[in-house]
Amino acid sequence: MKHAIVLGGSFGGLLAARVLSDHADDVVVIDTDDLSTNGRGPGAPHRDQLHALLAMGHLQLERWFPGITEETVAAGALLGQGSQVQFHVDGVRKVDLPEARMLSATRPFLEGHLRRRVMELPNVRFLHGRASGLLDDGRRITGVPITTAHPAPEQTHTADLTLDADLVVDAMGRSSRLGRWLQENGWDAPPVDRMRVDLGYATASFTRGDELPGTVIAHATPGPASNYQPRLSEPGALAAVEDNRWSVVLAGYTDYRPGSDPAQFLARMRRCVAPLRTVADTCAMVGEVRTYHFRESARREFTRLTRFPGGLVALGDSIASVNPIYGQGLTLAALQASSLAVHLKTGAHPHAPAWDYFRRARTVVGAAWDMATTADLAQPHVTGPYPRGYRLTRWAGDQLITASIHNAQVNSAFMDVLHMNAHPRTLTRPSLLLSAALTRPPR
């Protein structure tokens, strides 16, 4: 490849650029945000919400950016291990796992370090601007028209140009315009699967001292005992992040979505598990409460198309965006970037339709989609579609979640799936289901 273009300079776009730097002479990352402001523009309104980097996502980051853990920890991030990573179900703390390992930092902080690494690559450059469509020759995408923004001392002016491309990566996120662009050029848009979840969540920062010396991450969720409703404990999480802060997120569905009022936010924290109550009672809130409304999970099924232009792939939320309460988004983007790397390493020509890549990405997305949407169906306002065998799947899931609170073997297997280290089908092993069925709470 001579020229590759990445549309979007957020988490997924940065990973795509890193992958493409091994295969293209010139990689251009185009982003609507001015990256000199650390990417804090309107392009990703949920960027300041607390994000989880699951274990598999952490592993992929180390693969593409060796030493990123040590680098970010030295700059203020924390690495939670063993009992420092705590999960609660229905207000009860689950058995600790010695192998637990999670990097704890805010998304802007993490993206800032990845962006610096990518900017240091000699064949990658960044352009502040907006793509306005795709150019093709009837067989493949040949380029992208761009409107660039150049800050001037007293004004901002724009200039139009066209960039040639052997491969274009759509990493524009949930707001991707790829479907419309394809239709404008005579191609079909990929069909979209949707599930309305109507989730709201809110994040606030607090000063961090020595009030929770053994905690880096604490996560609380409703479970089978409360029928997955916030009756026994408020759903939420906290993470020790850079700048000696706690980042706290609270979540709720439909009319129970958290608002931006600080007093209400603190009141909900005090109905949550002990670590969040401690922070609410002893730490000062810093800044405002930021809210975000996630209406629906969606995935674009590229593999269901019968024709598709060469020189084009999609990655991250441009392919699928699932309920963020499960923390899969960043890890899905990392796994799709690695899928793109495998696709290119097979010798696939960038001008040919990337069917092999989309099949690989669909395997990753399918596992996350099935797990998230099956869990979402436990909410009474989520009306489907229900997959075949849902009642049996729901019963088995309830047994596993309940047993994972006290049974380390079951919890380890369950967390491997939650962290995307293992496929959900591993939870159907008869020995694991038997162990879950025989588990009883300690007296």
Side-chain angles (χ1 to χ4, degrees):
M1 268 189 285
K2 290 184 178 179
H3 305 291
I5 296 175
V6 179
L7 304 179
S10 191
F11 190 84
L14 293 170
L15 281 159
R18 170 62 189 88
V19 168
L20 290 171
S21 71
D22 290 342
H23 300 273
D25 296 335
D26 178 52
V27 181
V28 180
V29 181
I30 300 166
D31 199 275
T32 56
D33 291 342
D34 182 358
L35 298 178
S36 65
T37 65
N38 200 25
R40 289 180 178 269
H46 61 295
R47 183 176 282 131
D48 287 324
Q49 300 292 332
L50 177 59
H51 283 69
L53 181 63
L54 303 180
M56 177 53 73
H58 187 188
L59 181 68
Q60 295 300 320
L61 277 194
E62 276 292 338
R63 172 187 179 185
W64 293 110
F65 300 94
I68 193 69
T69 301
E70 289 76 9
E71 175 186 319
T72 53
V73 169
L78 284 88
L79 182 63
Q81 303 185 79
S83 62
Q84 295 175 322
V85 180
Q86 304 162 13
F87 285 83
H88 302 74
V89 174
D90 285 324
V92 181
R93 180 171 170 176
K94 297 177 71 171
V95 60
D96 294 331
L97 297 177
E99 67 269 25
R101 190 171 185 265
M102 291 186 71
L103 184 64
S104 185
T106 65
R107 176 172 171 175
F109 174 89
L110 186 57
E111 284 184 344
H113 282 266
L114 298 186
R115 187 175 297 111
R116 182 187 61 78
R117 287 280 200 101
V118 173
M119 285 180 168
E120 291 174 352
L121 297 171
N123 59 337
V124 178
R125 53 196 173 99
F126 286 73
L127 183 63
H128 180 202
R130 177 183 293 274
S132 56
L134 298 171
L135 303 176
D136 73 48
D137 62 4
R139 295 173 302 166
R140 71 173 184 92
I141 302 304
T142 60
V144 178
I146 306 294
T147 299
T148 61
H150 301 281
E154 297 180 356
Q155 64 181 358
T156 298
H157 63 277
T158 62
D160 295 327
L161 72 155
T162 298
L163 298 180
D164 294 332
D166 296 296
L167 182 64
V168 175
V169 177
D170 170 18
M172 294 184 288
R174 287 180 60 83
S175 61
S176 170
R177 303 177 296 283
L178 182 61
R180 176 165 57 84
W181 291 348
L182 286 169
Q183 290 177 320
E184 289 173 353
N185 287 30
W187 303 89
D188 291 332
V192 182
D193 293 332
R194 304 179 188 275
M195 177 176 283
R196 188 170 182 86
V197 296
D198 200 13
L199 172 78
Y201 53 99
T203 295
S205 293
F206 295 81
T207 58
R208 175 165 57 86
D210 58 359
E211 55 279 335
L212 293 172
T215 302
V216 173
I217 293 172
H219 180 273
T221 182
S226 63
N227 197 28
Y228 301 95
Q229 302 303 306
R231 298 167 183 160
L232 302 177
S233 174
E234 288 279 344
L238 68 77
V241 298
E242 70 278 3
D243 298 327
N244 295 315
R245 301 285 176 89
W246 292 109
S247 185
V248 177
V249 63
L250 301 176
Y253 293 97
T254 60
D255 294 338
Y256 200 65
R257 300 196 304 265
S260 59
D261 180 70
Q264 293 178 358
F265 191 91
L266 289 170
R268 289 180 70 149
M269 284 180 67
R270 293 186 175 104
R271 295 195 297 269
C272 199
V273 294
L276 277 79
R277 294 198 302 267
T278 297
V279 170
D281 290 338
T282 62
C283 303
M285 185 181 292
V286 181
E288 61 184 357
V289 177
R290 293 184 172 90
T291 61
Y292 187 73
H293 184 198
F294 182 88
R295 291 177 175 81
E296 64 178 10
S297 297
R299 65 172 171 179
R300 295 174 173 88
E301 288 279 29
F302 289 89
T303 57
R304 283 158 53 185
L305 294 169
T306 57
R307 58 189 291 268
F308 194 75
L312 178 65
V313 299
L315 184 146
D317 284 356
S318 297
I319 292 185
S321 178
V322 297
N323 188 336
I325 203 170
Y326 308 113
Q328 298 168 313
L330 300 184
T331 300
L332 270 178
L335 285 169
Q336 290 164 24
S338 291
S339 297
L340 178 60
V342 173
H343 171 71
L344 295 174
K345 286 180 179 179
T346 64
H349 199 288
H351 294 177
W355 296 119
D356 178 64
Y357 162 74
F358 283 116
R359 283 190 290 268
R360 293 178 187 275
R362 189 183 188 283
T363 299
V364 174
V365 168
W369 178 270
D370 290 346
M371 188 178 77
T373 55
T374 300
D376 288 338
L377 289 169
Q379 297 298 320
H381 71 282
V382 178
T383 57
Y386 287 84
R388 182 182 302 177
Y390 169 72
R391 289 185 179 180
L392 178 59
T393 301
R394 167 72 184 274
W395 176 85
D398 288 351
Q399 303 304 307
L400 288 166
I401 292 171
T402 301
S404 72
I405 298 173
H406 307 290
N407 186 318
Q409 175 198 3
V410 174
N411 193 30
S412 181
F414 183 81
M415 296 305 289
D416 268 348
V417 171
L418 183 69
H419 280 272
M420 303 185 74
N421 287 327
H423 194 278
R425 73 169 70 95
T426 61
L427 296 179
T428 64
R429 296 194 311 267
S431 60
L432 185 67
L433 292 173
L434 178 61
S435 180
L438 295 177
T439 299
R440 296 292 182 268
R443 294 184 180 275

